[in-house]
Amino acid sequence: MPLETTLILFKPDAVAKNLVGTVLARFEKEGFKIRGLKMMKLSDEILAEHYSHIADKPFFPDVRGFMQETPVIALALEGEDIIAKVRDLLGPTDSKTAAPGTIRGDFGDKTGESKMRNICHASDSPEAAAAEINRFFAPGEVF
Ligand code: ADP
């Protein structure tokens, strides 16, 4: 299995609900290794780049506003086959349809904003992970 590094963002709902440690503990329990960790405010520019695949959707302005409610915490995390494994640990985008035991199923919004307030972002492919790590971390910030 390939040793990969994925990019995770603890979104403002995770930060506001004091869930960062709880979710990070789930990742550490899997044996994944922290390679980079930082708190940062996301500008309109970085969000337009990061969410370019949804920029033309009617809900994009809401997502941008949500991602700017608080600073986020960016995490570069390493492990075997980690990109797919973290996506499985998260569950689907819509927290309401995410199974209990998944991060989004356990902690995501279960009301009208379940598709948006879903605790974490995680890279969905090796190509996306490489681009996203470059986007959120300077070279000297990943160890
Ligand atoms: P994922 O983060 O699961 O890979 P997408 O890349 O499709 O999902 O969407 C990026 C983010 O945009 C989601 O995590 C979520 O916060 C938000 N989002 C996606 N679809 C919707 C929607 N229909 N309504 C509101 N927000 C959405």
Side-chain angles (χ1 to χ4, degrees), residues 46 62 67 127:
I46 201 168
D62 288 344
M67 293 298 289
E127 297 71 32

Side-chain angles (χ1 to χ4, degrees), residues 7-122:
L7 185 280
I8 293 166
L9 296 177
F10 291 91
K11 297 186 181 187
D13 54 340
V15 173
K17 289 156 91 176
N18 290 354
L19 287 169
V20 175
T22 302
V23 175
L24 185 56
R26 289 195 182 192
F27 295 141
E28 289 200 292
K29 224 162 94 187
E30 297 294 320
F32 302 147
K33 297 296 177 201
I34 296 171
R35 296 297 177 217
L37 186 67
K38 70 194 277 197
M39 192 168 207
M40 60 196 293
K41 274 189 178 172
L42 299 184
S43 64
D44 288 354
E45 289 71 26
I46 201 168
L47 282 167
E49 208 185 306
H50 182 64
Y51 281 138
S52 60
H53 62 292
I54 58 163
D56 60 345
K57 304 278 190 216
F59 56 81
F60 177 68
D62 288 344
V63 173
R64 185 177 52 211
F66 162 55
M67 293 298 289
Q68 294 176 331
E69 283 177 3
T70 70
V72 302
I73 293 172
L75 170 65
L77 198 63
E78 183 189 76
E80 302 270 339
D81 201 24
I82 192 172
I83 295 169
K85 282 184 185 162
V86 167
R87 296 279 296 187
D88 285 347
L89 289 171
L90 278 190
T93 306
D94 186 347
S95 306
K96 232 192 287 189
T97 68
T102 65
I103 290 164
R104 287 170 169 171
D106 289 349
F107 306 119
D109 187 273
K110 294 296 184 310
T111 63
E113 295 189 312
S114 64
K115 287 182 182 158
M116 185 172 80
R117 295 181 184 274
N118 57 9
I119 305 293
C120 281
H121 163 83

